[in-house]
Amino acid sequence: MPILVQKFGGTSVRDAVCIKRVAKIATDAQKNGYEVVVVVSAMGDTTDNLIELSRDITNKPDPREYDLLLSTGEQISIPLVAMAIQSLGSKAISQTGLQVGILTEDRHGKARITEVKTEKIKKYLKEENIVVVAGFQGISEVTGEITTLGRGGSDTTAVALAVALGAERCDIYTDVEGVYTTDPEIVREASKLKNISYEEMLELASLGAQVLHPRSVEIAKNFNMPMRVRSSFKPQDEGTLVQGVREMELNNPVSGVALDESQARVAISGVPDKPGIAATVFNSLAKKNISVDMIVQSTSHDGVNEIAFTVDKDTIEDTVPITNQIAKDIGATKVTTDTSIAKVSIVGAGMIGRPGIAAAMFKALSDSGINIQMISTSEIKVSCVIDVKDGDKAVKAIHKVFELEKLEKETQRV
Ligand code: ASP
Ligand code: MG
């Protein structure tokens, strides 16, 4: 029998009524001929509340204790879901990450899954159980201690399980009906995509469109595991299929517009124009574990230039003193920071080999009187740094210029 993995996020299991709805979706899938593995997150805001509780006690919780605390949220939701399934007359058994054998790196807070044991789950499935697995948690492959996968990590548990079990698909049930061309709170006419490629989804997930944990998409892409993002409140709706680009027909150059307000810009001016300077600057930042996203170096005038880059706002307090020190060491004149920036990006596998896409984006911004501070591109993405106050306006203008409100109708013709 084909295996289906269904993952339910916190809002989908936030109370008893929702949990019963989840049980119905799982048992329906079983009736439709699937062996079903259900992965669940913690109920509602449980994880946030646990974090708050620990903060009331200490600012620097011990990482082992912190993971043990955060993993309890999922341990509450799994037996409740199993009970709800049993009440509908199906067999069900709940399993923690430890019980299944979800092995991770020996690292707390953001561990990567290294191996998923499948023997036990397969045995329970054979016995006609729906197996309900706790998301977001595993155990260190070295010490056996409980680890967590980073916020939103249940998606990753689900995809890793789907891959390990050779599932037909991994369905991610959430409180939205799929992946949209942009945040519907910014653009009311945003359309829901029928399908999107892993590559595009990965870009969107990393750009702060919070639908999926980026790591889950990475695993799905590497193992070609189809994912469906859909709503547990409207289970008849098929949502958005995330799949390989070869399986898709690309009618549109752009699939989505994302806005990321989480970065800050740092600029070093009066930088002597000689070899090795950029290497020195970015080496020092990397050594302190600060990841840099966009980098722009101006052309040199009178033997000096400017190097500007963006980092996560959260790391700005660490970045500034290091950058000041580097500036001093290399004889640069000034370091300035700007935390009121936003990065607006277009993503689309269909832009490969189609000229003029970036130009159309820049024109939409300039027609709206928005100044571009930095630009970066990849094969399927163009990002511009702008003033944070222009963020929503930029998204609206770009969404309109690429006529993304019409996208669903067009993809339906495929
Ligand atoms: N409960 C965890 C969190 O809130 C994991 C998840 O929901 O995916 O981040
Ligand atoms: Mg989530």
Side-chain angles (χ1 to χ4, degrees):
M1 261 200 277
I3 297 176
L4 186 64
V5 175
Q6 303 181 316
K7 181 259 169 177
F8 296 91
T11 45
S12 300
V13 292
R14 69 171 174 244
D15 56 26
V17 174
C18 289
I19 287 177
K20 287 179 186 170
R21 194 178 291 129
V22 164
K24 173 86 171 48
I25 294 172
T27 49
D28 281 351
Q30 194 183 42
K31 286 188 189 114
N32 285 333
Y34 285 103
E35 290 186 330
V36 182
V37 175
V38 170
V39 174
V40 274
S41 295
M43 293 171 70
D45 298 329
T46 305
T47 312
D48 288 329
N49 296 338
L50 291 169
I51 291 173
E52 225 165 88
L53 254 179
S54 79
R55 286 215 181 112
D56 288 345
I57 297 196
T58 170
N59 280 331
K60 271 198 179 315
D62 177 75
R64 176 197 182 272
E65 305 305 333
Y66 193 64
D67 268 358
L68 196 50
L69 175 70
L70 295 200
S71 70
T72 60
E74 275 71 12
Q75 197 170 330
I76 296 172
S77 50
I78 50 168
L80 291 172
V81 170
M83 288 175 204
I85 294 171
Q86 290 160 353
S87 313
L88 294 179
S90 285
K91 284 173 77 179
I93 184 163
S94 62
Q95 294 277 295
T96 63
L98 170 77
Q99 287 172 311
V100 170
I102 296 178
L103 308 187
T104 72
E105 305 167 322
D106 185 33
R107 170 181 175 186
H108 286 291
K110 230 181 190 168
R112 285 177 165 231
I113 295 177
T114 51
E115 193 188 337
V116 179
K117 304 270 188 209
T118 56
E119 303 84 52
K120 254 172 113 182
I121 296 185
K122 281 187 176 151
K123 176 178 151 269
Y124 291 134
L125 288 174
K126 282 262 133 54
E127 295 164 1
E128 289 175 17
N129 285 287
I130 291 177
V131 186
V132 185
V133 180
F136 175 60
Q137 55 177 266
I139 53 166
S140 156
E141 59 184 355
V142 181
T143 60
E145 292 287 349
I146 288 179
T147 53
T148 62
L149 311 180
R151 296 306 307 271
S154 295
D155 297 340
T156 299
T157 305
V159 177
L161 269 167
V163 168
L165 292 164
E168 182 179 295
R169 201 177 64 235
C170 183
D171 282 354
I172 306 284
Y173 284 90
T174 171
D175 55 352
V176 292
E177 280 157 44
V179 182
Y180 283 75
T181 48
T182 195
D183 183 349
E185 297 213 339
I186 302 177
V187 182
R188 221 170 358 109
E189 305 79 27
S191 14
K192 191 183 74 203
L193 295 162
K194 287 212 89 170
N195 45 41
I196 188 166
S197 68
Y198 298 122
E199 287 81 359
E200 291 167 308
M201 194 62 238
L202 206 49
E203 291 283 9
L204 288 173
S206 322
L207 288 170
Q210 310 242 320
V211 232
L212 291 173
H213 196 229
R215 179 80 187 130
S216 69
V217 186
E218 222 174 274
I219 298 174
K221 171 174 173 276
N222 290 344
F223 295 92
N224 209 19
M225 172 58 61
M227 299 169 85
R228 224 178 238 297
V229 179
R230 58 201 302 180
S231 165
S232 63
F233 301 92
K234 274 198 179 172
Q236 65 288 356
D237 192 307
E238 294 217 301
T240 302
L241 183 62
V242 188
Q243 62 184 355
V245 75
R246 266 184 227 94
E247 282 87 43
M248 293 176 59
E249 230 173 283
L250 300 168
N251 288 332
N252 299 282
V254 176
S255 300
V257 186
L259 183 69
D260 180 357
E261 298 180 341
S262 70
Q263 296 196 351
R265 180 172 175 274
V266 181
I268 316 174
S269 41
V271 178
D273 190 22
K274 55 182 188 210
I277 296 282
T280 312
V281 172
F282 296 109
N283 242 327
S284 317
L285 293 169
K287 265 196 209 132
K288 299 279 174 186
N289 248 333
I290 295 168
S291 20
V292 171
D293 180 27
M294 291 165 89
I295 301 174
V296 171
Q297 180 180 306
S298 67
T299 47
S300 88
H301 278 285
D302 309 319
V304 293
N305 58 31
E306 183 187 86
I307 296 179
F309 55 90
T310 63
V311 293
D312 250 359
K313 253 183 215 159
D314 302 349
T315 63
I316 195 78
E317 269 166 37
D318 295 328
T319 307
V320 170
I322 299 169
T323 313
N324 279 331
Q325 185 57 49
I326 302 167
K328 225 179 183 178
D329 293 349
I330 61 180
T333 49
K334 202 170 71 185
V335 174
T336 49
T337 58
D338 184 356
T339 50
S340 53
I341 60 160
K343 181 169 77 170
V344 61
S345 308
I346 52 172
V347 172
M351 71 172 76
I352 298 173
R354 280 194 220 193
I357 304 301
M361 176 187 187
F362 303 153
K363 177 143 192 322
L365 292 175
S366 80
D367 286 351
S368 309
I370 298 170
N371 183 43
I372 303 174
Q373 302 175 17
M374 295 169 98
I375 298 168
S376 83
T377 63
S378 79
E379 242 189 338
I380 63 162
K381 181 187 75 176
V382 183
S383 299
C384 297
V385 168
I386 57 174
D387 194 308
V388 73
K389 74 170 181 356
D390 295 326
D392 287 9
K393 192 161 86 175
V395 172
K396 286 192 181 113
I398 296 167
H399 199 271
K400 193 153 187 206
V401 106
F402 292 109
E403 302 189 317
L404 296 182
E405 69 283 353
K406 296 184 184 153
L407 210 53
E408 187 175 31
K409 286 174 212 111
E410 284 189 23
T411 34
Q412 270 171 350
R413 268 201 263 120
V414 175

